[in-house]
PDB file of all heavy atoms in Angstrom:
ATOM      1  N   SER A   1     105.969 142.121  15.901  1.00 94.00           N
ATOM      2  CA  SER A   1     105.575 140.982  15.083  1.00 94.00           C
ATOM      3  C   SER A   1     106.480 139.807  15.396  1.00 94.00           C
ATOM      4  O   SER A   1     107.662 139.986  15.729  1.00 94.00           O
ATOM      5  CB  SER A   1     105.673 141.318  13.590  1.00 94.00           C
ATOM      6  OG  SER A   1     104.817 142.392  13.250  1.00 94.00           O
ATOM      7  N   GLU A   2     105.946 138.600  15.312  1.00 96.00           N
ATOM      8  CA  GLU A   2     106.745 137.412  15.551  1.00 96.00           C
ATOM      9  C   GLU A   2     106.434 136.345  14.519  1.00 96.00           C
ATOM     10  O   GLU A   2     105.310 136.267  14.009  1.00 96.00           O
ATOM     11  CB  GLU A   2     106.524 136.854  16.960  1.00 96.00           C
ATOM     12  CG  GLU A   2     105.133 136.321  17.215  1.00 96.00           C
ATOM     13  CD  GLU A   2     104.979 135.752  18.624  1.00 96.00           C
ATOM     14  OE1 GLU A   2     105.911 135.880  19.423  1.00 96.00           O
ATOM     15  OE2 GLU A   2     103.918 135.161  18.898  1.00 96.00           O
ATOM     16  N   LEU A   3     107.435 135.557  14.217  1.00 96.00           N
ATOM     17  CA  LEU A   3     107.260 134.434  13.302  1.00 96.00           C
ATOM     18  C   LEU A   3     106.908 133.205  14.128  1.00 96.00           C
ATOM     19  O   LEU A   3     107.630 132.852  15.067  1.00 96.00           O
ATOM     20  CB  LEU A   3     108.549 134.180  12.512  1.00 96.00           C
ATOM     21  CG  LEU A   3     108.530 132.971  11.567  1.00 96.00           C
ATOM     22  CD1 LEU A   3     107.561 133.202  10.419  1.00 96.00           C
ATOM     23  CD2 LEU A   3     109.931 132.674  11.046  1.00 96.00           C
ATOM     24  N   ALA A   4     105.812 132.555  13.783  1.00 97.00           N
ATOM     25  CA  ALA A   4     105.406 131.312  14.445  1.00 97.00           C
ATOM     26  C   ALA A   4     105.599 130.164  13.463  1.00 97.00           C
ATOM     27  O   ALA A   4     105.101 130.204  12.336  1.00 97.00           O
ATOM     28  CB  ALA A   4     103.945 131.392  14.888  1.00 97.00           C
ATOM     29  N   VAL A   5     106.361 129.151  13.889  1.00 97.00           N
ATOM     30  CA  VAL A   5     106.641 127.990  13.051  1.00 97.00           C
ATOM     31  C   VAL A   5     106.181 126.742  13.793  1.00 97.00           C
ATOM     32  O   VAL A   5     106.551 126.528  14.951  1.00 97.00           O
ATOM     33  CB  VAL A   5     108.146 127.871  12.733  1.00 97.00           C
ATOM     34  CG1 VAL A   5     108.397 126.685  11.792  1.00 97.00           C
ATOM     35  CG2 VAL A   5     108.680 129.157  12.131  1.00 97.00           C
ATOM     36  N   SER A   6     105.369 125.930  13.159  1.00 98.00           N
ATOM     37  CA  SER A   6     104.944 124.670  13.750  1.00 98.00           C
ATOM     38  C   SER A   6     105.557 123.517  12.970  1.00 98.00           C
ATOM     39  O   SER A   6     105.637 123.557  11.738  1.00 98.00           O
ATOM     40  CB  SER A   6     103.419 124.540  13.765  1.00 98.00           C
ATOM     41  OG  SER A   6     102.909 124.523  12.449  1.00 98.00           O
ATOM     42  N   CYS A   7     106.014 122.493  13.692  1.00 98.00           N
ATOM     43  CA  CYS A   7     106.696 121.354  13.081  1.00 98.00           C
ATOM     44  C   CYS A   7     106.110 120.045  13.598  1.00 98.00           C
ATOM     45  O   CYS A   7     105.583 119.980  14.714  1.00 98.00           O
ATOM     46  CB  CYS A   7     108.191 121.382  13.410  1.00 98.00           C
ATOM     47  SG  CYS A   7     109.048 122.888  12.927  1.00 98.00           S
ATOM     48  N   THR A   8     106.219 119.022  12.816  1.00 98.00           N
ATOM     49  CA  THR A   8     105.875 117.671  13.230  1.00 98.00           C
ATOM     50  C   THR A   8     107.158 116.925  13.570  1.00 98.00           C
ATOM     51  O   THR A   8     108.078 116.847  12.748  1.00 98.00           O
ATOM     52  CB  THR A   8     105.130 116.922  12.117  1.00 98.00           C
ATOM     53  OG1 THR A   8     103.909 117.604  11.827  1.00 98.00           O
ATOM     54  CG2 THR A   8     104.808 115.492  12.541  1.00 98.00           C
ATOM     55  N   ILE A   9     107.232 116.401  14.787  1.00 97.00           N
ATOM     56  CA  ILE A   9     108.405 115.648  15.226  1.00 97.00           C
ATOM     57  C   ILE A   9     108.274 114.222  14.714  1.00 97.00           C
ATOM     58  O   ILE A   9     107.230 113.577  14.888  1.00 97.00           O
ATOM     59  CB  ILE A   9     108.529 115.681  16.751  1.00 97.00           C
ATOM     60  CG1 ILE A   9     108.611 117.132  17.242  1.00 97.00           C
ATOM     61  CG2 ILE A   9     109.739 114.896  17.228  1.00 97.00           C
ATOM     62  CD1 ILE A   9     108.564 117.283  18.755  1.00 97.00           C
ATOM     63  N   GLN A  10     109.315 113.725  14.102  1.00 95.00           N
ATOM     64  CA  GLN A  10     109.245 112.420  13.451  1.00 95.00           C
ATOM     65  C   GLN A  10     109.026 111.279  14.433  1.00 95.00           C
ATOM     66  O   GLN A  10     108.305 110.323  14.138  1.00 95.00           O
ATOM     67  CB  GLN A  10     110.534 112.185  12.641  1.00 95.00           C
ATOM     68  CG  GLN A  10     110.675 113.132  11.455  1.00 95.00           C
ATOM     69  CD  GLN A  10     112.032 113.052  10.784  1.00 95.00           C
ATOM     70  OE1 GLN A  10     112.861 112.214  11.144  1.00 95.00           O
ATOM     71  NE2 GLN A  10     112.279 113.935   9.826  1.00 95.00           N
ATOM     72  N   ASN A  11     109.639 111.348  15.620  1.00 92.00           N
ATOM     73  CA  ASN A  11     109.452 110.337  16.658  1.00 92.00           C
ATOM     74  C   ASN A  11     108.924 111.036  17.900  1.00 92.00           C
ATOM     75  O   ASN A  11     109.602 111.902  18.455  1.00 92.00           O
ATOM     76  CB  ASN A  11     110.764 109.623  16.970  1.00 92.00           C
ATOM     77  CG  ASN A  11     111.374 108.968  15.735  1.00 92.00           C
ATOM     78  OD1 ASN A  11     112.449 109.351  15.285  1.00 92.00           O
ATOM     79  ND2 ASN A  11     110.704 107.986  15.172  1.00 92.00           N
ATOM     80  N   ALA A  12     107.711 110.668  18.312  1.00 94.00           N
ATOM     81  CA  ALA A  12     107.050 111.355  19.422  1.00 94.00           C
ATOM     82  C   ALA A  12     107.942 111.390  20.663  1.00 94.00           C
ATOM     83  O   ALA A  12     108.581 110.389  21.026  1.00 94.00           O
ATOM     84  CB  ALA A  12     105.737 110.661  19.752  1.00 94.00           C
ATOM     85  N   LEU A  13     107.991 112.548  21.310  1.00 95.00           N
ATOM     86  CA  LEU A  13     108.810 112.723  22.504  1.00 95.00           C
ATOM     87  C   LEU A  13     108.157 112.045  23.712  1.00 95.00           C
ATOM     88  O   LEU A  13     106.929 112.071  23.855  1.00 95.00           O
ATOM     89  CB  LEU A  13     109.005 114.203  22.797  1.00 95.00           C
ATOM     90  CG  LEU A  13     109.666 115.038  21.690  1.00 95.00           C
ATOM     91  CD1 LEU A  13     109.740 116.504  22.112  1.00 95.00           C
ATOM     92  CD2 LEU A  13     111.045 114.505  21.352  1.00 95.00           C
ATOM     93  N   PRO A  14     108.933 111.477  24.617  1.00 94.00           N
ATOM     94  CA  PRO A  14     108.370 110.821  25.800  1.00 94.00           C
ATOM     95  C   PRO A  14     107.915 111.794  26.884  1.00 94.00           C
ATOM     96  O   PRO A  14     107.237 111.393  27.832  1.00 94.00           O
ATOM     97  CB  PRO A  14     109.528 109.948  26.296  1.00 94.00           C
ATOM     98  CG  PRO A  14     110.755 110.670  25.837  1.00 94.00           C
ATOM     99  CD  PRO A  14     110.394 111.289  24.518  1.00 94.00           C
ATOM    100  N   ALA A  15     108.301 113.064  26.762  1.00 96.00           N
ATOM    101  CA  ALA A  15     107.889 114.074  27.748  1.00 96.00           C
ATOM    102  C   ALA A  15     107.889 115.442  27.082  1.00 96.00           C
ATOM    103  O   ALA A  15     108.661 115.693  26.153  1.00 96.00           O
ATOM    104  CB  ALA A  15     108.824 114.073  28.956  1.00 96.00           C
ATOM    105  N   ALA A  16     107.003 116.307  27.558  1.00 97.00           N
ATOM    106  CA  ALA A  16     106.914 117.663  27.018  1.00 97.00           C
ATOM    107  C   ALA A  16     107.920 118.577  27.706  1.00 97.00           C
ATOM    108  O   ALA A  16     108.293 118.355  28.861  1.00 97.00           O
ATOM    109  CB  ALA A  16     105.500 118.203  27.208  1.00 97.00           C
ATOM    110  N   PHE A  17     108.358 119.605  26.997  1.00 97.00           N
ATOM    111  CA  PHE A  17     109.240 120.601  27.598  1.00 97.00           C
ATOM    112  C   PHE A  17     109.107 121.908  26.831  1.00 97.00           C
ATOM    113  O   PHE A  17     108.608 121.950  25.701  1.00 97.00           O
ATOM    114  CB  PHE A  17     110.705 120.134  27.587  1.00 97.00           C
ATOM    115  CG  PHE A  17     111.362 120.157  26.232  1.00 97.00           C
ATOM    116  CD1 PHE A  17     112.096 121.259  25.810  1.00 97.00           C
ATOM    117  CD2 PHE A  17     111.233 119.083  25.370  1.00 97.00           C
ATOM    118  CE1 PHE A  17     112.693 121.295  24.564  1.00 97.00           C
ATOM    119  CE2 PHE A  17     111.838 119.096  24.115  1.00 97.00           C
ATOM    120  CZ  PHE A  17     112.563 120.208  23.713  1.00 97.00           C
ATOM    121  N   SER A  18     109.542 122.981  27.454  1.00 97.00           N
ATOM    122  CA  SER A  18     109.595 124.283  26.792  1.00 97.00           C
ATOM    123  C   SER A  18     110.905 124.949  27.166  1.00 97.00           C
ATOM    124  O   SER A  18     111.475 124.671  28.223  1.00 97.00           O
ATOM    125  CB  SER A  18     108.408 125.165  27.194  1.00 97.00           C
ATOM    126  OG  SER A  18     108.426 125.428  28.582  1.00 97.00           O
ATOM    127  N   SER A  19     111.376 125.818  26.276  1.00 97.00           N
ATOM    128  CA  SER A  19     112.653 126.480  26.510  1.00 97.00           C
ATOM    129  C   SER A  19     112.643 127.833  25.811  1.00 97.00           C
ATOM    130  O   SER A  19     111.985 128.003  24.770  1.00 97.00           O
ATOM    131  CB  SER A  19     113.803 125.611  25.974  1.00 97.00           C
ATOM    132  OG  SER A  19     115.056 126.206  26.234  1.00 97.00           O
ATOM    133  N   LYS A  20     113.381 128.800  26.368  1.00 96.00           N
ATOM    134  CA  LYS A  20     113.423 130.114  25.744  1.00 96.00           C
ATOM    135  C   LYS A  20     114.705 130.841  26.127  1.00 96.00           C
ATOM    136  O   LYS A  20     115.378 130.509  27.113  1.00 96.00           O
ATOM    137  CB  LYS A  20     112.220 130.959  26.165  1.00 96.00           C
ATOM    138  CG  LYS A  20     112.177 131.301  27.646  1.00 96.00           C
ATOM    139  CD  LYS A  20     110.964 132.167  27.958  1.00 96.00           C
ATOM    140  CE  LYS A  20     110.926 132.517  29.452  1.00 96.00           C
ATOM    141  NZ  LYS A  20     109.772 133.386  29.780  1.00 96.00           N
ATOM    142  N   ASN A  21     115.048 131.825  25.316  1.00 95.00           N
ATOM    143  CA  ASN A  21     116.089 132.785  25.664  1.00 95.00           C
ATOM    144  C   ASN A  21     115.593 134.166  25.262  1.00 95.00           C
ATOM    145  O   ASN A  21     114.376 134.370  25.122  1.00 95.00           O
ATOM    146  CB  ASN A  21     117.441 132.419  25.022  1.00 95.00           C
ATOM    147  CG  ASN A  21     117.422 132.516  23.503  1.00 95.00           C
ATOM    148  OD1 ASN A  21     116.437 132.953  22.889  1.00 95.00           O
ATOM    149  ND2 ASN A  21     118.510 132.109  22.879  1.00 95.00           N
ATOM    150  N   ASN A  22     116.467 135.115  25.064  1.00 93.00           N
ATOM    151  CA  ASN A  22     116.022 136.472  24.739  1.00 93.00           C
ATOM    152  C   ASN A  22     115.380 136.579  23.359  1.00 93.00           C
ATOM    153  O   ASN A  22     114.687 137.560  23.076  1.00 93.00           O
ATOM    154  CB  ASN A  22     117.210 137.442  24.814  1.00 93.00           C
ATOM    155  CG  ASN A  22     117.693 137.648  26.237  1.00 93.00           C
ATOM    156  OD1 ASN A  22     116.928 137.492  27.181  1.00 93.00           O
ATOM    157  ND2 ASN A  22     118.961 137.980  26.397  1.00 93.00           N
ATOM    158  N   TRP A  23     115.626 135.591  22.487  1.00 95.00           N
ATOM    159  CA  TRP A  23     115.144 135.696  21.116  1.00 95.00           C
ATOM    160  C   TRP A  23     114.188 134.585  20.706  1.00 95.00           C
ATOM    161  O   TRP A  23     113.308 134.803  19.874  1.00 95.00           O
ATOM    162  CB  TRP A  23     116.337 135.676  20.154  1.00 95.00           C
ATOM    163  CG  TRP A  23     117.225 136.858  20.291  1.00 95.00           C
ATOM    164  CD1 TRP A  23     118.461 136.901  20.865  1.00 95.00           C
ATOM    165  CD2 TRP A  23     116.943 138.197  19.879  1.00 95.00           C
ATOM    166  NE1 TRP A  23     118.981 138.167  20.826  1.00 95.00           N
ATOM    167  CE2 TRP A  23     118.067 138.988  20.222  1.00 95.00           C
ATOM    168  CE3 TRP A  23     115.862 138.799  19.233  1.00 95.00           C
ATOM    169  CZ2 TRP A  23     118.135 140.352  19.954  1.00 95.00           C
ATOM    170  CZ3 TRP A  23     115.940 140.153  18.958  1.00 95.00           C
ATOM    171  CH2 TRP A  23     117.059 140.910  19.327  1.00 95.00           C
ATOM    172  N   PHE A  24     114.347 133.412  21.273  1.00 97.00           N
ATOM    173  CA  PHE A  24     113.607 132.253  20.786  1.00 97.00           C
ATOM    174  C   PHE A  24     112.750 131.640  21.892  1.00 97.00           C
ATOM    175  O   PHE A  24     113.136 131.634  23.061  1.00 97.00           O
ATOM    176  CB  PHE A  24     114.563 131.174  20.268  1.00 97.00           C
ATOM    177  CG  PHE A  24     115.573 131.675  19.273  1.00 97.00           C
ATOM    178  CD1 PHE A  24     116.926 131.392  19.443  1.00 97.00           C
ATOM    179  CD2 PHE A  24     115.182 132.410  18.168  1.00 97.00           C
ATOM    180  CE1 PHE A  24     117.864 131.844  18.533  1.00 97.00           C
ATOM    181  CE2 PHE A  24     116.110 132.873  17.259  1.00 97.00           C
ATOM    182  CZ  PHE A  24     117.452 132.582  17.439  1.00 97.00           C
ATOM    183  N   TYR A  25     111.612 131.108  21.475  1.00 97.00           N
ATOM    184  CA  TYR A  25     110.764 130.351  22.402  1.00 97.00           C
ATOM    185  C   TYR A  25     110.375 129.052  21.710  1.00 97.00           C
ATOM    186  O   TYR A  25     109.994 129.052  20.527  1.00 97.00           O
ATOM    187  CB  TYR A  25     109.504 131.136  22.777  1.00 97.00           C
ATOM    188  CG  TYR A  25     108.542 130.313  23.615  1.00 97.00           C
ATOM    189  CD1 TYR A  25     108.747 130.135  24.979  1.00 97.00           C
ATOM    190  CD2 TYR A  25     107.440 129.695  23.030  1.00 97.00           C
ATOM    191  CE1 TYR A  25     107.882 129.372  25.743  1.00 97.00           C
ATOM    192  CE2 TYR A  25     106.566 128.927  23.787  1.00 97.00           C
ATOM    193  CZ  TYR A  25     106.789 128.767  25.141  1.00 97.00           C
ATOM    194  OH  TYR A  25     105.939 128.000  25.894  1.00 97.00           O
ATOM    195  N   LEU A  26     110.463 127.954  22.445  1.00 98.00           N
ATOM    196  CA  LEU A  26     110.129 126.634  21.916  1.00 98.00           C
ATOM    197  C   LEU A  26     109.243 125.889  22.897  1.00 98.00           C
ATOM    198  O   LEU A  26     109.497 125.886  24.098  1.00 98.00           O
ATOM    199  CB  LEU A  26     111.410 125.819  21.678  1.00 98.00           C
ATOM    200  CG  LEU A  26     111.237 124.311  21.469  1.00 98.00           C
ATOM    201  CD1 LEU A  26     110.528 124.027  20.151  1.00 98.00           C
ATOM    202  CD2 LEU A  26     112.583 123.595  21.530  1.00 98.00           C
ATOM    203  N   LYS A  27     108.217 125.255  22.359  1.00 98.00           N
ATOM    204  CA  LYS A  27     107.376 124.351  23.133  1.00 98.00           C
ATOM    205  C   LYS A  27     107.241 123.070  22.337  1.00 98.00           C
ATOM    206  O   LYS A  27     106.866 123.102  21.159  1.00 98.00           O
ATOM    207  CB  LYS A  27     105.997 124.971  23.393  1.00 98.00           C
ATOM    208  CG  LYS A  27     105.076 124.076  24.226  1.00 98.00           C
ATOM    209  CD  LYS A  27     103.737 124.748  24.473  1.00 98.00           C
ATOM    210  CE  LYS A  27     102.821 123.868  25.312  1.00 98.00           C
ATOM    211  NZ  LYS A  27     101.499 124.513  25.540  1.00 98.00           N
ATOM    212  N   ALA A  28     107.564 121.944  22.964  1.00 98.00           N
ATOM    213  CA  ALA A  28     107.516 120.656  22.265  1.00 98.00           C
ATOM    214  C   ALA A  28     106.796 119.632  23.127  1.00 98.00           C
ATOM    215  O   ALA A  28     107.047 119.520  24.329  1.00 98.00           O
ATOM    216  CB  ALA A  28     108.927 120.173  21.942  1.00 98.00           C
ATOM    217  N   ALA A  29     105.885 118.895  22.515  1.00 97.00           N
ATOM    218  CA  ALA A  29     105.135 117.848  23.213  1.00 97.00           C
ATOM    219  C   ALA A  29     104.666 116.822  22.195  1.00 97.00           C
ATOM    220  O   ALA A  29     104.235 117.182  21.090  1.00 97.00           O
ATOM    221  CB  ALA A  29     103.939 118.434  23.966  1.00 97.00           C
ATOM    222  N   ASN A  30     104.794 115.565  22.570  1.00 96.00           N
ATOM    223  CA  ASN A  30     104.373 114.469  21.694  1.00 96.00           C
ATOM    224  C   ASN A  30     105.044 114.596  20.327  1.00 96.00           C
ATOM    225  O   ASN A  30     106.248 114.539  20.231  1.00 96.00           O
ATOM    226  CB  ASN A  30     102.855 114.434  21.587  1.00 96.00           C
ATOM    227  CG  ASN A  30     102.189 114.163  22.927  1.00 96.00           C
ATOM    228  OD1 ASN A  30     102.647 113.297  23.681  1.00 96.00           O
ATOM    229  ND2 ASN A  30     101.133 114.897  23.253  1.00 96.00           N
ATOM    230  N   SER A  31     104.259 114.821  19.292  1.00 97.00           N
ATOM    231  CA  SER A  31     104.808 114.896  17.936  1.00 97.00           C
ATOM    232  C   SER A  31     104.762 116.301  17.356  1.00 97.00           C
ATOM    233  O   SER A  31     104.820 116.476  16.136  1.00 97.00           O
ATOM    234  CB  SER A  31     104.053 113.931  17.008  1.00 97.00           C
ATOM    235  OG  SER A  31     104.210 112.595  17.426  1.00 97.00           O
ATOM    236  N   ARG A  32     104.671 117.307  18.214  1.00 98.00           N
ATOM    237  CA  ARG A  32     104.570 118.675  17.714  1.00 98.00           C
ATOM    238  C   ARG A  32     105.553 119.588  18.426  1.00 98.00           C
ATOM    239  O   ARG A  32     105.758 119.495  19.633  1.00 98.00           O
ATOM    240  CB  ARG A  32     103.146 119.207  17.884  1.00 98.00           C
ATOM    241  CG  ARG A  32     103.001 120.673  17.496  1.00 98.00           C
ATOM    242  CD  ARG A  32     101.589 121.102  17.340  1.00 98.00           C
ATOM    243  NE  ARG A  32     101.491 122.528  17.050  1.00 98.00           N
ATOM    244  CZ  ARG A  32     100.461 123.106  16.459  1.00 98.00           C
ATOM    245  NH1 ARG A  32      99.429 122.381  16.081  1.00 98.00           N
ATOM    246  NH2 ARG A  32     100.451 124.416  16.244  1.00 98.00           N
ATOM    247  N   ALA A  33     106.142 120.481  17.639  1.00 98.00           N
ATOM    248  CA  ALA A  33     107.020 121.515  18.182  1.00 98.00           C
ATOM    249  C   ALA A  33     106.596 122.857  17.620  1.00 98.00           C
ATOM    250  O   ALA A  33     106.304 122.976  16.423  1.00 98.00           O
ATOM    251  CB  ALA A  33     108.472 121.230  17.826  1.00 98.00           C
ATOM    252  N   ASP A  34     106.533 123.865  18.474  1.00 98.00           N
ATOM    253  CA  ASP A  34     106.148 125.210  18.066  1.00 98.00           C
ATOM    254  C   ASP A  34     107.248 126.195  18.444  1.00 98.00           C
ATOM    255  O   ASP A  34     107.680 126.249  19.598  1.00 98.00           O
ATOM    256  CB  ASP A  34     104.833 125.621  18.727  1.00 98.00           C
ATOM    257  CG  ASP A  34     103.657 124.813  18.218  1.00 98.00           C
ATOM    258  OD1 ASP A  34     103.262 125.019  17.064  1.00 98.00           O
ATOM    259  OD2 ASP A  34     103.145 123.964  18.984  1.00 98.00           O
ATOM    260  N   PHE A  35     107.693 126.959  17.448  1.00 98.00           N
ATOM    261  CA  PHE A  35     108.711 127.991  17.644  1.00 98.00           C
ATOM    262  C   PHE A  35     108.059 129.368  17.506  1.00 98.00           C
ATOM    263  O   PHE A  35     107.176 129.556  16.668  1.00 98.00           O
ATOM    264  CB  PHE A  35     109.811 127.886  16.582  1.00 98.00           C
ATOM    265  CG  PHE A  35     110.580 126.598  16.598  1.00 98.00           C
ATOM    266  CD1 PHE A  35     110.097 125.471  15.951  1.00 98.00           C
ATOM    267  CD2 PHE A  35     111.801 126.512  17.252  1.00 98.00           C
ATOM    268  CE1 PHE A  35     110.810 124.282  15.939  1.00 98.00           C
ATOM    269  CE2 PHE A  35     112.534 125.328  17.248  1.00 98.00           C
ATOM    270  CZ  PHE A  35     112.031 124.210  16.587  1.00 98.00           C
ATOM    271  N   ARG A  36     108.538 130.307  18.318  1.00 97.00           N
ATOM    272  CA  ARG A  36     108.119 131.703  18.175  1.00 97.00           C
ATOM    273  C   ARG A  36     109.369 132.576  18.230  1.00 97.00           C
ATOM    274  O   ARG A  36     110.174 132.460  19.157  1.00 97.00           O
ATOM    275  CB  ARG A  36     107.130 132.110  19.268  1.00 97.00           C
ATOM    276  CG  ARG A  36     105.806 131.364  19.215  1.00 97.00           C
ATOM    277  CD  ARG A  36     104.656 132.218  19.777  1.00 97.00           C
ATOM    278  NE  ARG A  36     104.978 132.821  21.050  1.00 97.00           N
ATOM    279  CZ  ARG A  36     104.677 132.297  22.232  1.00 97.00           C
ATOM    280  NH1 ARG A  36     104.063 131.124  22.296  1.00 97.00           N
ATOM    281  NH2 ARG A  36     104.987 132.922  23.347  1.00 97.00           N
TER     282      ARG A  36
END
């Protein structure tokens, strides 16, 4: 099971990116960020 959290970024990002390690995954683009 995984926890999925979606967020609204207050100031839209100028470029999309994603990042992860052994425990966390993040995807951020424009005004949205998603954590797993």
Side-chain angles (χ1 to χ4, degrees):
S1 299
E2 66 179 6
L3 177 67
V5 183
S6 63
C7 303
T8 298
I9 302 173
Q10 293 171 5
N11 303 115
L13 301 178
F17 73 94
S18 62
S19 182
K20 65 179 180 179
N21 66 5
N22 291 334
W23 294 106
F24 308 130
Y25 174 80
L26 165 68
K27 181 179 181 181
N30 297 317
S31 298
R32 175 166 176 158
D34 292 289
F35 298 84
R36 295 209 312 266

